[in-house]
Amino acid sequence: MQHFTMKELPESERPYDKFLRQGEEGLSDAELLAVILRSGNKNRSALDIARDVLSRYQQSLLNLNWLSVEELSGFSGIGQVKAIQLKCIAELAKRMAATTYRKNMKTEEPGTIAEYYMEQLRHETREKLILAMFDARNRFLGDEVLSIGTVNSSLVSPREIYLKALRNQAVNIILLHNHPSGEACPSKEDLRTTVRVAECGRMLGITLVDHIIIGDNRYTSLKENGTLS
């Protein structure tokens, strides 16, 4: 099979030229990635390498989230610097998506909260518990990661949660955590933890508005399912 460098490709297949004619929307995923890679090696064009990356695991751009720097560096034509650049591009994409959803967050609408955190949590390989904090007008004050690993009542400390909430002058809080399996059904431990944290909050005058479990493009709100009222 004959391989071409980017410059040797027919003009109609060169991503840079295609960009100038059709704009970024006209480029395929592989072409967009090839522009970021900029160059290949003596045997593989940037477009070849981009296709190799996209053909792994998820068969899509999601591979940039799943592949580690070490795994990306294992592709012919990708060194550590390019691998780091690709991981940074993936992180920028997640943050851009989150910024868009953040403007629409409403504590009374769990779907808007889930959308904001979905890209951050859906690709995590371990459970991550996040505390999102809001003021009396339900304006977002910020968030903090409470734990990484199994989320259960013995590891989640209401004291730690409410100390952080008080420090940030939060009146309403929402807990979120992901299930690496991709499922969003709450476990018995999720339910026990939620009830325990909510009871402590009532004594302090801080409301646990919701506990949202994030799966892969799906979520469960314990407010919506009646666990929290």
Side-chain angles (χ1 to χ4, degrees), residues 51-219:
R51 287 170 179 151
D52 288 344
V53 172
L54 296 181
S55 67
R56 288 288 178 92
Y57 306 135
Q58 297 292 315
Q59 302 285 310
S60 72
L61 286 169
L62 290 177
N63 283 340
L64 296 183
N65 288 314
W66 285 97
L67 291 166
S68 66
V69 168
E70 291 74 21
E71 289 172 316
L72 286 167
S73 300
F75 287 92
S76 175
I78 298 181
Q80 187 180 61
V81 172
K82 282 187 178 179
I84 291 171
Q85 289 172 337
L86 291 176
K87 293 299 291 184
C88 287
I89 289 291
E91 181 61 24
L92 279 172
K94 286 194 287 187
R95 294 188 190 189
M96 288 169 68
T99 299
T100 300
Y101 290 125
R102 177 173 175 169
K103 293 184 293 186
N104 299 320
M105 279 201 300
K106 296 182 178 66
T107 56
E108 68 275 16
E109 296 181 20
T112 65
I113 308 294
E115 282 181 337
Y116 176 67
Y117 287 97
M118 184 68 70
E119 286 306 306
Q120 178 182 343
L121 291 174
R122 63 182 286 225
H123 304 299
E124 288 285 340
T125 56
R126 293 183 294 171
E127 286 193 14
K128 180 182 284 187
L129 178 65
I130 293 177
L131 170 67
M133 295 166 282
F134 302 82
D135 67 12
R137 294 185 178 183
N138 285 324
R139 291 177 298 198
F140 183 56
L141 298 172
D143 56 32
E144 291 198 37
V145 176
L146 295 172
S147 67
I148 298 176
T150 302
V151 175
N152 60 52
S153 58
S154 63
L155 294 179
V156 178
S157 164
R159 179 177 181 275
E160 180 185 357
I161 290 171
Y162 288 110
L163 277 175
K164 291 182 185 297
L166 289 166
R167 193 176 299 128
N168 287 276
Q169 299 183 323
V171 175
N172 299 305
I173 62 171
I174 292 177
L175 292 176
L176 302 101
H177 82 274
N178 63 302
H179 283 174
S181 66
E183 294 298 322
C185 296
S187 66
K188 291 181 180 178
E189 196 61 55
D190 293 335
L191 299 176
R192 279 196 292 267
T193 298
T194 302
V195 171
R196 179 168 171 251
V197 172
E199 287 174 350
C200 292
R202 279 192 282 272
M203 290 187 286
L204 293 170
I206 298 175
T207 303
L208 175 61
V209 176
D210 205 346
H211 184 173
I212 298 173
I213 296 144
I214 302 291
D216 188 4
N217 266 338
R218 66 192 78 181
Y219 76 92

